[in-house]
Amino acid sequence: ASHNNIEQGKRFTFTPRMIAYSVVLGLLLALQGVLLLDRKEVETTILKAQGQRYFEQPNGNLVNMYNAQVANKSFEDLKLTFKLKSHKGTIKVVGEQTTAKKQGITDFILLVEIPAQVFKSYKTAIQIEVLKENKVLETINVNFLSPIE
């Protein structure tokens, strides 16, 4: 209550401006809540390693090297695995690091190995899944380079 309301004995009333500001504030709070509840646990960026084209294996497979950066937005460490979705092949994580630290960013080096006979062009789009306990968190699209011109 304002000083004038007390002196004049008037009761407090909501004005149209106060109602409008209250509605806008409520909508902003609801939007913030939806955005916080809807966000993903992790956000992954996978890029081709600079200066690397491809490696040819003696068994006829091709290997590409990628740098993966995982932003873990959850409050617990996550043991992650990477799996090829679009092609038959394997993904090996270089080093011992397979856990994304809580509330942090973790870097991984991935070696993706795919049989050479499946490629028909120099660049082929492949899909890599990021999994936690066999649950797909994210699917990332990247290009796989091969010697086919």
Side-chain angles (χ1 to χ4, degrees):
S2 69
H3 181 69
N4 289 338
N5 285 0
I6 294 171
E7 280 184 352
Q8 297 169 6
K10 291 184 181 176
R11 297 188 73 214
F12 176 77
T13 57
F14 271 110
T15 64
R17 179 184 286 180
M18 294 169 75
I19 293 170
Y21 280 128
S22 297
V23 168
V24 170
L25 179 62
L27 290 174
L28 288 174
L29 287 173
L31 176 65
Q32 183 179 11
V34 167
L35 291 175
L36 282 174
L37 292 175
D38 193 40
R39 75 179 190 156
K40 297 184 272 184
E41 261 185 300
V42 297
E43 187 173 323
T44 307
T45 303
I46 299 177
L47 300 172
K48 186 89 176 74
Q50 287 185 339
Q52 300 291 327
R53 289 185 49 183
Y54 56 85
F55 305 105
E56 293 187 57
Q57 299 293 90
N59 61 3
N61 291 347
L62 297 175
V63 177
N64 276 210
M65 184 184 296
Y66 297 91
N67 294 319
Q69 193 172 63
V70 178
N72 181 0
K73 300 176 190 177
S74 70
F75 295 104
E76 59 188 33
D77 291 347
L78 299 177
K79 186 164 175 54
L80 300 176
T81 55
F82 299 90
K83 180 180 154 193
L84 276 172
K85 179 180 181 182
S86 57
H87 293 77
K88 288 190 178 189
T90 59
I91 296 180
K92 295 177 187 156
V93 178
V94 177
E96 302 292 318
Q97 183 69 14
T98 60
T99 303
K101 301 293 181 202
K102 63 181 176 182
Q103 296 289 305
I105 295 175
T106 307
D107 293 319
F108 298 93
I109 296 175
L110 307 176
L111 295 176
V112 179
E113 185 172 341
I114 299 175
Q117 56 269 26
V118 302
F119 298 106
K120 306 220 182 325
S121 69
Y122 176 67
K123 277 187 182 180
T124 304
I126 63 171
Q127 293 180 324
I128 298 175
E129 292 179 327
V130 181
L131 298 104
K132 176 187 103 173
E133 300 170 359
N134 292 326
K135 177 188 168 206
V136 177
L137 299 176
E138 217 174 355
T139 302
I140 310 296
N141 296 315
V142 295
N143 286 323
F144 192 95
L145 303 181
S146 64
I148 289 80
E149 293 292 333

